Amino acid sequence: MAQGDANAAIEKEIRSEKAGALARALEALEAALEALEALARFDAAPRAGPAAAIRADLVADAGERLWFLVIQREAMGLMRHDVVYEVVRVPVEVRRAMGPRRA
């Protein structure tokens, strides 16, 4: 195998791994958002009472998952995230919580 062919094969494998990581990050975000929506369907007032702590945890989890997705997108050279926010329907509250979870 020529050097150029070997490099092309490696580059193709790297692109494939990046795409897979991006897909997994998106799936994790979608699952976190679904959990948040499920709580809202289960409890009409999740911002009060015992559900408030659960909701805060779910928002923090979704914010961290969004952060992971944004990092992966940026690693791939994708810098405009507003389309993701719209397509995936990321609530503003989750966008504000984006980042590592606080212990």
Side-chain angles (χ1 to χ4, degrees), residues 36-56 58:
L36 192 55
E37 290 174 14
L39 177 64
R41 286 191 303 270
F42 175 75
D43 189 338
R47 295 174 192 254
I54 295 169
R55 186 176 189 287
L58 292 173

Side-chain angles (χ1 to χ4, degrees), residues 49-97:
I54 295 169
R55 186 176 189 287
D57 189 53
L58 292 173
V59 169
D61 183 53
E64 185 175 57
R65 299 298 172 182
L66 177 59
W67 183 54
F68 292 156
L69 178 66
V70 166
I71 289 169
Q72 187 60 39
R73 285 177 51 81
E74 290 180 356
M76 296 177 72
L78 304 170
M79 300 300 173
R80 296 207 48 218
H81 310 298
D82 53 333
V83 173
V84 172
Y85 301 151
E86 291 175 24
V87 171
V88 182
R89 294 178 294 135
V90 178
V92 172
E93 182 178 23
V94 172
R95 293 182 215 174
R96 288 183 183 137

